[in-house]
Amino acid sequence: MSDNAKEIKPTDWHSPEMNARIKRRYRKEKWFKGLGFTAVILAAMFLVTLIGRIAGDGLYGFVQTSIELDIPFEESILGNPREMSKADFEENVRRANMLRIIDASLQGHFPDVKSRRDRRELLRMVSTGARAQIRDMVLANPSLVGTTERVRLLASDDVDQLRKGRIDASEPEANRKVKDKELGWYQKLKEEGRVSLNFHTTFLTSGDSRDPELAGIWGATVGSALTLLVTLAIAFPIGVLTAIYLEEFAPKNRLTDLIEVNINNLAAVPSIVFGLLGLAVFLGVMHLPRSAPLVGGLTLALMTLPTIIIASRASIKAVPPSIRDAARGLGASPMQVVFHHVVPLAMPGILTGTIIGMAQALGETAPLLMIGMVAFIVDIPGGVTDAATALPVQIFLWADSPERAFVEKTSAAILVLLTFLIAMNGLAIWLRQKFEQHW
Amino acid sequence: MYKMASELETMTETRKPKMLAENVNVFYGTNHAVKGITLDLHQDEVTALIGPSGCGKSTFLRCLNRMNDTVASCRVEGRITLDGEDIYASRIDVVQLRARVGMVFQKPNPFPKSIYDNVAYGPRIHGLAQTRTDLDEIVSTALEKAGLWNEVKDRLESPGTALSGGQQQRLCIARAIAVNPEVILMDEPCSALDPIATAKVEALIDELKGRYAIAIVTHSMQQAARVSQKTAFFHMGDLVEHGDTTEIFTAPKQERTRDYITGRFG
Amino acid sequence: MTSSAIFLFLVMLALGSFVFARQKALAGAGGDPAKLHSLPRHYGYFAATCVLLPGLFAFGIWVIFGNSIIEGLILSGVPDRVFEQNGDQATLVLNRIRLAVENPNSPETDPDILAAAAKFQAIYLKGIWAAFVLSISLGLVGLYVAVNRTKPDFRARNKFERVVLITLGMSSVIAIATTLGIVASLLFESLRFFQEVSIAEFVFGLHWSPQTALRADQVASAGAFGAVPLFAGTLLISFIAMLVAGPIGLLAAIYLTQYASQRMRKIAKPMLEVLAGVPTVVYGFFAALTVAPLFRDMGITLGLDIASESALAAGIVMGIMIIPFVSSLSDDAITAVPKSLKDGSLALGATPSETIKQVVLPAALPGIVGAFLLAISRAVGETMIVVMAAGMQPNLTANPFEAVTTVTVQIVALLTGDQEFDSAKTLSAFALGLALFVSTMVLNVIALKIVRKYREVYD
Ligand SMILES: Nc1ncnc2c1ncn2[C@@H]1O[C@H](COP(=O)(O)OP(=O)(O)OP(=O)(O)O)[C@@H](O)[C@H]1O
Ligand SMILES: [Mg+2]
């Protein structure tokens, strides 16, 4: 065979054609590698743009502009605390028209503003929340009555946007929200050092509001916490028990096969479909209260169940059989083997999966829209059956608001949400690394 | 002095090695896997590399076509030449080098393509065929040389992975031959094959030996004795003994070699 | 008395039973645990489960059906006049009754509503007491049975473990129950919808305007429920998303698995995970606030007419969201390709890119196809980005610069705000949900099949 076999022509590796060809191939190689690199960089750029954009706006959401005014706490308006009973005085203060006090104060600052319309516009430079601010001050300290104090009042969102440079004073007057007159007043206050930008605790401690400067995320945060609590209470036990059953006890038959396939598919069902399920079953059939964290939590629990089951199963599977054999050798029943030995060893992995599932649930919006957790709710929810909203839904609601000032509130709320998510994922990573076992 | 040089010249004239490794050291991180090995491969010879597991045979073999470049932690020192040219020189192009120094692996690894495409893969990427008939020619020649032509000529379009293990390994050899290499490196080419397939591959190696310099790693003494003219015995990264196969197997100079060949360890 | 009080009572009863049964078992054995078949606490566990299971069963029935039964009773007593005044909407009537119950000084004046409210309180009180008595007495029956069996030779542990095993099995059925629940609720409401609107009209109709169908004289008027524009919009946006996520995700996976240094991988992988962990509502906000206006302005400078809610903006942002999904699944598929194949190609003198393009990718193709299918299913089911950045007008177009609407957008639009369960408008949302569920399910099943087959090849 070897004698009559055909021969392959020897290759001249140094021929010019071959050299050119190799150069071409290396060029392609470079291009391809560059393409891959570009893809990674693009993904990084997207992330940086996204976070940068939101952080850029969002950090302003945590600060708010105030105006310091000399407020005359006039007895004629507030009543005299020494002449009235405490209850009467407080009732009087609650009823008092604080606008008159603010108006009087502004008159002192701007004596040449006379017309009714101008005065009303002048009043609009402070937030509607300023009235409550003055009221609370007087209620806390009745001896203020009769004095004049320099008080730091919340500015309206227009002034706030001016201070933050979001309104461009150089634009023609017709194109901007703040007119020249107000601009002048603002400048005057600013020159007197009465305009300041401060950390805004209200944003973290209060519920929703129509006024951006009064709106806060505490209500939504509590709503989210209650919802997650319900989710955890349902999904964690059921998920872990299911995982234990499937991994340790389930006979290999059609039914368990079906359950397996089913769990994998359930993990990929769009979240909004779970919302439809919650709407039809929890609201439609069970008549549970609408907009309540209870229903939101139940819905999200069904959604996170597959995540928890899959992670728990992987973690249980990773416990080596030798440990089961050892326990069985000591006379433990199958149940004891699992609950005394396998599950504790698998716990870090189970917890990691659960936290990741909870983080998913925390960021989820669509199913909550379906079950009505999307209302405008000012009160902080007190229980799982109260009407509530959740952080991502709050973000959705604010994102829809036309006011420019809500953009930074939305971004700030996103920063808060992302902080929670990062904390949860960080915890999961920490758990995984701390307890990671190499069998 | 002059005389000595010319003497050397005439010597190398007669036995000019195809590949020559001089004082080669290989490190994986801090693990010194190959220690100062000097070894030559000749055009018309099969060199068998033997030695206990983990002694660095594969590592050394993979230096010869720079496959170790793909292992990030791997560092190669020393000088390896192909026809007198340093293959680690910057002038040398790995792509070309690997075409000239082919390699066959322990486990048959046909690509998930048709038999034809498996063999045509190399010639295509190197542009060795200008026309489809050229390519057909190369493929059939390579398959013939690998002794596979008669078994597959009617099903060139079926997937290479559908062949038997022994056929797959011969397909891989055909694939290597198709780019017209000058050296063929084989890393335990028969360890995944049954005795009949092994016999076929051994016969093939015999066929090929005249045209290529062949290095073969094997754990089977019998195989080394059957197919090789030269044998190199490795132990813990050292080249313990290197010489004619008959000599190594009948009268080893080193005790370690004798122990290994007689099955005292390894 | 509230529902949670019933629950607390049950738990306390169970705790008491635990202690009691453990003591009784010990006492029966003369204080010597060794004479017992099982550990004393197993007798306790057994008794506690005997109390809890029947008790919780009764409690569960109350929680699930209690409200609907009470509401049914109340509504049956409300005269037709009230329904007529409220546009025949039971939910509205119920809400008014509820408000009257919760707030005694409410401005409600309708005497029938007030009467119903009074009745509501009475019935509710009766109901909750009935639930309390029933669940506690069932618990007590359980306790009686358990205590009777608490003898030293009683195999308490085995019995208890049996119960635990059954509990484990039951919880794994919940996953199936969820799927069944989804299918049943979607099917049920959809069937009601298709009684009013023909399936053919829904699947092939080109005109979607459910809002006009709201008017009484126009119920299910012809042409109002043609879902084709929604399907088309969904496909258009998903297609744009895949144009972004497909190449970028795949190339990133290739680069990270084949070229990147250890260090780069260590940075890039978590980065992709962060990208994957950002909630979709954030992407939606980004799309609506930044990307959409950017495209509109670019359109103006380029002389193109790009809508401010263009499919392009929503699609691209959705693509960004899906990048990590594609890349991590492709990464898995690529790493599953045996190294020996790569080595074989490199040893023939192929460059890395030739190896990747001609050997690695073809070998990983099934896995990559599976990844793409899963990604498409993600895109199709994605809600928040399109709700916030895509339009509301059904628009049958393939022009990415125009605004289109999607299935999910319409579901949200139809179901947020006040709703009644029986109008064709709300029911159509369930029909859309069914279409969404079926299509994503089909995609997933095919993808999982492909991926599993592929894994088997290389395992
Ligand atoms: N990719 C790698 N990374 C790190 N160390 C490696 C790598 N490959 C091999 N080694 C180490 O180099 C040494 C030599 O390995 P090599 O594979 O060359 O041995 P071998 O002689 O081929 O053994 P065998 O007969 O089992 O194939 C061993 O200690 C091994 O652990
Ligand atoms: Mg080896």
Side-chain angles (χ1 to χ4, degrees):
Chain A
M1 184 175 107
S2 64
D3 303 321
N4 57 4
K6 296 168 280 187
E7 273 305 325
I8 301 172
K9 268 189 295 183
T11 316
D12 179 6
W13 290 106
H14 299 293
S15 68
E17 299 90 67
M18 194 49 90
N19 282 337
R21 194 186 153 81
I22 286 192
K23 250 195 204 124
R24 219 165 41 237
R25 286 171 64 198
Y26 274 115
R27 214 164 29 239
K28 275 193 187 158
E29 168 74 25
K30 230 184 226 151
W31 266 102
F32 188 72
K33 192 172 167 183
L35 223 55
F37 186 71
T38 315
V40 176
I41 293 302
L42 266 179
M45 262 172 44
F46 289 144
L47 184 65
V48 169
T49 317
L50 180 76
I51 303 285
R53 180 70 215 259
I54 285 166
D57 277 337
L59 291 177
Y60 280 107
F62 294 104
V63 290
Q64 199 72 41
T65 308
S66 311
I67 301 177
E68 282 175 38
L69 293 179
D70 300 326
I71 295 290
F73 292 94
E74 280 172 35
E75 193 181 320
S76 58
I77 298 170
L78 296 168
N80 189 334
R82 285 168 298 273
E83 287 168 9
M84 294 189 224
S85 74
K86 194 168 181 288
D88 280 350
F89 173 69
E90 288 184 355
E91 180 67 23
N92 202 39
V93 170
R94 272 183 232 285
R95 292 224 181 132
N97 186 358
M98 300 299 177
L99 275 182
R100 278 175 54 201
I101 295 189
I102 302 172
D103 187 38
S105 156
L106 284 168
Q107 274 303 297
H109 290 291
F110 299 96
D112 42 346
V113 177
K114 285 279 182 274
S115 85
R116 222 159 214 261
R117 253 191 57 211
D118 285 354
R119 281 168 67 175
R120 213 166 25 217
E121 273 178 18
L122 195 51
L123 265 178
R124 268 201 222 111
M125 295 192 56
V126 295
S127 161
T128 47
R131 285 174 275 177
Q133 235 178 316
I134 296 177
R135 185 193 64 208
D136 292 344
M137 278 181 78
V138 177
L139 287 179
N141 184 7
S143 64
L144 281 173
V145 175
T147 62
T148 296
E149 291 270 327
R150 190 168 164 139
V151 178
R152 193 189 273 168
L153 293 177
L154 265 187
S156 71
D157 57 327
D158 285 347
V159 172
D160 183 51
Q161 294 297 296
L162 257 179
R163 170 68 185 77
K164 288 172 180 168
R166 298 301 161 93
I167 294 176
D168 186 2
S170 62
E171 279 205 25
E173 184 177 14
N175 289 357
R176 65 179 127 83
K177 234 183 130 192
V178 179
K179 304 299 167 211
D180 282 346
K181 212 184 309 176
E182 294 160 81
L183 213 57
W185 297 332
Y186 170 76
Q187 294 298 355
K188 178 163 184 275
L189 286 171
K190 190 151 185 225
E191 275 153 26
E192 291 172 13
R194 292 180 182 273
V195 179
S196 61
L197 205 54
N198 307 299
F199 185 72
H200 189 48
T201 41
T202 312
F203 179 69
L204 295 177
T205 57
S206 76
D208 198 2
S209 167
R210 298 276 183 224
D211 296 310
E213 73 272 15
L214 299 177
I217 52 161
W218 184 239
T221 309
V222 172
S224 269
L226 290 170
T227 308
L228 278 196
L229 217 62
V230 175
T231 305
L232 185 66
I234 307 280
F236 179 71
I238 294 181
V240 176
L241 292 181
T242 303
I244 292 173
Y245 181 73
L246 291 179
E247 212 45 62
E248 299 284 333
F249 297 105
K252 266 270 151 248
N253 60 26
R254 294 279 294 280
L255 181 68
T256 43
D257 274 359
L258 187 73
I259 295 180
E260 282 223 46
V261 172
N262 183 46
I263 288 171
N264 284 333
N265 281 322
L266 214 49
V269 169
S271 62
I272 194 169
V273 172
F274 285 96
L276 289 173
L277 171 73
L279 175 59
V281 173
F282 300 136
L283 297 185
V285 176
M286 296 191 194
H287 289 259
L288 295 176
R290 232 176 111 75
S291 309
L294 175 65
V295 179
L298 283 169
T299 310
L300 293 182
L302 295 182
M303 202 193 79
T304 37
L305 210 48
T307 310
I308 297 182
I309 295 175
I310 292 170
S312 303
R313 286 190 68 179
S315 180
I316 291 173
K317 198 181 252 160
V319 176
S322 60
I323 293 201
R324 293 176 181 80
D325 293 342
R328 227 170 281 140
L330 293 173
S333 71
M335 211 46 89
Q336 287 169 328
V337 170
V338 170
F339 281 96
H340 295 178
H341 299 277
V342 177
V343 172
L345 287 173
M347 218 14 123
I350 294 176
L351 288 182
T352 307
T354 306
I355 295 172
I356 288 172
M358 288 298 120
Q360 265 172 23
L362 176 59
E364 198 52 72
T365 321
L368 301 184
L369 302 186
M370 297 293 94
I371 52 121
M373 284 182 81
V374 64
F376 171 70
I377 292 158
V378 178
D379 298 328
I380 313 292
V384 291
T385 52
D386 291 354
T389 175
L391 268 176
V393 184
Q394 188 71 75
I395 290 166
F396 169 65
L397 285 170
W398 283 350
D400 239 11
S401 305
E403 281 103 332
R404 179 68 180 77
F406 265 122
V407 168
E408 57 198 35
K409 295 294 162 198
T410 313
S411 307
I414 289 176
L415 289 183
V416 172
L417 178 62
L418 289 181
T419 309
F420 281 128
L421 288 177
I422 290 171
M424 287 169 85
N425 283 301
L427 183 64
I429 292 171
W430 177 80
L431 258 178
R432 185 160 48 199
Q433 278 172 357
K434 170 140 198 213
F435 293 101
E436 192 164 50
Q437 301 257 14
H438 296 286
W439 307 102
Chain B
M1 189 72 194
Y2 171 76
K3 204 174 159 202
M4 256 177 81
S6 74
E7 231 173 51
L8 208 75
E9 195 131 278
T10 44
M11 251 183 80
T12 46
E13 202 69 19
T14 48
R15 281 198 56 77
K16 195 172 170 195
K18 186 73 195 169
M19 283 197 95
L20 177 61
E22 292 166 287
N23 195 21
V24 170
N25 285 289
V26 185
F27 303 84
Y28 290 108
T30 55
N31 178 10
H32 196 172
V34 166
K35 301 170 186 163
I37 286 182
T38 300
L39 189 71
D40 51 355
L41 302 180
H42 289 270
Q43 179 71 53
D44 47 4
E45 267 176 8
V46 177
T47 305
L49 310 184
I50 60 171
S53 192
C55 65
K57 306 179 295 288
S58 301
T59 303
F60 175 72
L61 204 67
R62 289 164 62 89
C63 290
L64 298 180
N65 67 345
R66 291 182 56 179
M67 277 303 280
N68 278 333
D69 291 11
T70 62
V71 180
S73 66
C74 186
R75 189 158 50 85
V76 179
E77 285 173 3
R79 188 179 142 87
I80 302 174
T81 53
L82 174 64
D83 286 336
E85 230 180 338
D86 186 350
I87 63 168
Y88 280 88
S90 57
R91 228 161 36 78
I92 287 289
D93 177 65
V94 227
V95 161
Q96 264 187 17
L97 171 74
R98 289 184 188 147
R100 294 171 64 193
V101 184
M103 189 161 206
V104 176
F105 296 83
Q106 178 169 8
K107 244 180 81 192
N109 56 353
F111 302 137
K113 299 169 180 287
S114 70
I115 293 172
Y116 183 94
D117 287 339
N118 259 285
V119 181
Y121 181 77
R124 275 193 182 131
I125 56 177
H126 292 293
L128 301 186
Q130 259 59 51
T131 63
R132 176 77 193 195
T133 29
D134 280 359
L135 193 60
D136 287 349
E137 178 76 21
I138 292 176
V139 169
S140 64
T141 313
L143 282 170
E144 264 171 30
K145 281 200 197 168
L148 197 60
W149 177 248
N150 288 330
E151 288 159 72
V152 301
K153 64 170 181 257
D154 302 323
R155 47 175 180 145
L156 288 176
E157 290 313 314
S158 60
T161 45
L163 294 172
S164 77
Q167 288 173 326
Q168 285 187 12
Q169 194 62 301
R170 279 180 284 149
L171 177 63
C172 292
I173 295 175
R175 193 173 70 186
I177 291 173
V179 289
N180 203 14
E182 297 152 37
V183 182
I184 300 180
L185 310 172
M186 299 182 169
D187 193 351
E188 302 181 41
C190 301
S191 64
L193 305 184
D194 68 51
I196 296 174
T198 302
K200 284 196 178 161
V201 172
E202 283 180 10
L204 174 58
I205 294 172
D206 236 26
E207 291 283 331
L208 299 176
K209 90 171 168 237
R211 280 181 295 269
Y212 311 95
I214 296 177
I216 174 172
V217 172
T218 176
H219 277 284
S220 153
M221 302 308 142
Q222 293 87 335
Q223 185 170 67
R226 279 195 300 267
V227 301
S228 71
Q229 287 74 52
K230 287 274 163 54
T231 295
F233 172 60
F234 283 60
H235 188 234
M236 311 225 345
D238 291 316
L239 177 58
V240 178
E241 197 169 345
H242 176 213
D244 285 343
T245 299
T246 39
E247 210 166 294
I248 295 241
F249 279 94
T250 51
K253 294 193 184 69
Q254 303 284 331
E255 191 164 347
R256 278 193 283 175
T257 319
R258 190 170 326 124
D259 287 348
Y260 182 71
I261 292 171
T262 52
R264 211 82 66 77
F265 67 75
Chain C
M1 179 63 51
T2 62
S3 298
S4 34
I6 300 183
F7 182 74
L8 275 183
F9 260 102
L10 267 179
V11 171
M12 269 150 53
L13 186 62
L15 282 178
S17 318
F18 173 84
V19 176
F20 182 70
R22 194 180 57 180
Q23 285 319 111
K24 175 159 188 248
L26 262 178
D32 178 9
K35 290 212 183 95
L36 290 170
H37 169 270
S38 313
L39 289 176
R41 64 163 187 271
H42 287 127
Y43 294 88
Y45 289 145
F46 178 72
T49 39
C50 280
V51 170
L52 267 186
L53 286 186
L56 282 181
F57 177 72
F59 178 68
I61 295 212
W62 157 252
V63 168
I64 296 177
F65 299 110
N67 273 332
S68 3
I69 294 171
I70 291 179
E71 281 164 9
L73 282 174
I74 298 289
L75 286 180
S76 67
V78 173
D80 291 345
R81 181 189 59 77
V82 182
F83 283 101
E84 279 158 24
Q85 279 174 358
N86 287 288
D88 270 334
Q89 289 187 16
T91 10
L92 273 188
V93 179
L94 262 181
N95 268 344
R96 285 178 62 183
I97 297 177
R98 276 253 163 83
L99 279 179
V101 171
E102 280 162 18
N103 184 0
N105 334 320
S106 70
E108 185 62 62
T109 49
D110 190 316
D112 285 317
I113 297 265
L114 287 173
K119 197 170 135 202
F120 186 100
Q121 271 174 319
I123 293 188
Y124 184 80
L125 218 58
K126 267 187 215 153
I128 201 147
W129 275 108
F132 175 74
V133 170
L134 189 67
S135 47
I136 295 295
S137 46
L138 278 181
L140 286 173
V141 170
L143 177 61
Y144 177 76
V145 172
V147 167
N148 252 350
R149 302 184 68 169
T150 305
K151 310 237 169 57
D153 60 343
F154 176 57
R155 299 151 66 85
R157 198 196 70 212
N158 308 40
K159 289 282 174 206
F160 170 64
E161 289 185 347
R162 186 99 239 128
V163 175
V164 173
L165 187 62
I166 292 171
T167 318
L168 291 179
M170 300 282 278
S171 37
S172 69
V173 170
I174 291 195
I176 295 239
T178 307
T179 310
L180 288 182
I182 291 176
V183 172
S185 51
L186 291 181
L187 264 184
F188 182 69
E189 310 290 348
S190 301
L191 283 179
R192 283 171 64 195
F193 173 70
F194 289 129
Q195 277 165 5
E196 293 181 39
V197 178
S198 79
I199 295 191
E201 134 105 66
F202 178 73
V203 177
F204 301 113
L206 300 183
H207 187 64
W208 177 266
S209 55
Q211 304 300 337
T212 54
L214 250 187
R215 297 216 309 269
D217 55 328
Q218 267 196 328
V219 168
S221 65
F225 286 106
V228 170
L230 312 191
F231 298 149
T234 306
L235 286 184
L236 177 61
I237 290 185
S238 306
F239 180 71
I240 296 170
M242 286 312 291
L243 281 188
V244 174
I248 296 184
L250 183 57
L251 283 170
I254 290 173
Y255 187 82
L256 291 180
T257 52
Q258 308 291 317
Y259 288 113
S261 64
Q262 196 68 33
R263 234 186 69 216
M264 170 131 186
R265 260 200 296 272
K266 264 209 175 120
I267 301 170
K269 284 250 171 102
M271 177 200 87
L272 286 170
E273 272 170 36
V274 171
L275 208 54
V278 173
T280 53
V281 69
V282 178
Y283 283 106
F285 179 62
F286 181 65
L289 184 80
T290 310
V291 181
L294 181 78
F295 284 172
R296 195 198 43 218
D297 296 346
M298 261 162 50
I300 292 172
T301 42
L302 294 176
L304 287 169
D305 186 20
I306 302 184
S308 58
E309 298 185 318
S310 63
L312 192 64
I316 286 182
V317 173
M318 191 187 279
I320 296 176
M321 182 203 91
I322 297 177
I323 289 173
F325 197 69
V326 173
S327 83
S328 91
L329 287 173
S330 307
D331 191 319
D332 291 348
I334 292 172
T335 13
V337 175
K339 190 169 174 302
S340 64
L341 280 186
K342 233 182 103 180
D343 278 356
S345 167
L346 291 175
L348 283 170
T351 61
S353 68
E354 287 162 349
T355 302
I356 292 163
K357 281 187 279 195
Q358 299 185 36
V359 174
V360 176
L361 288 187
L365 191 64
I368 293 171
V369 170
F372 275 52
L373 287 181
L374 286 175
I376 294 172
S377 131
R378 255 288 173 87
V380 168
E382 168 50 37
T383 308
M384 292 322 291
I385 294 178
V386 280
V387 165
M388 295 169 82
M392 285 295 246
Q393 312 81 12
N395 198 350
L396 195 54
T397 176
N399 181 355
F401 299 147
E402 283 185 47
V404 295
T405 191
T406 73
V407 172
T408 48
V409 169
Q410 289 303 313
I411 294 178
V412 170
L414 290 166
L415 290 182
T416 43
D418 278 327
Q419 42 180 280
E420 352 122 36
F421 245 98
D422 22 24
S423 83
K425 185 187 148 201
T426 27
L427 292 178
S428 69
F430 284 88
L432 290 176
L434 184 65
L436 186 63
F437 178 72
V438 170
S439 50
T440 51
M441 200 61 141
V442 167
L443 281 171
N444 291 334
V445 169
I446 297 175
L448 289 178
K449 269 237 165 77
I450 295 178
V451 171
R452 185 167 312 164
K453 266 265 166 55
Y454 163 71
R455 288 228 179 93
E456 277 164 12
V457 172
Y458 289 121
D459 270 353

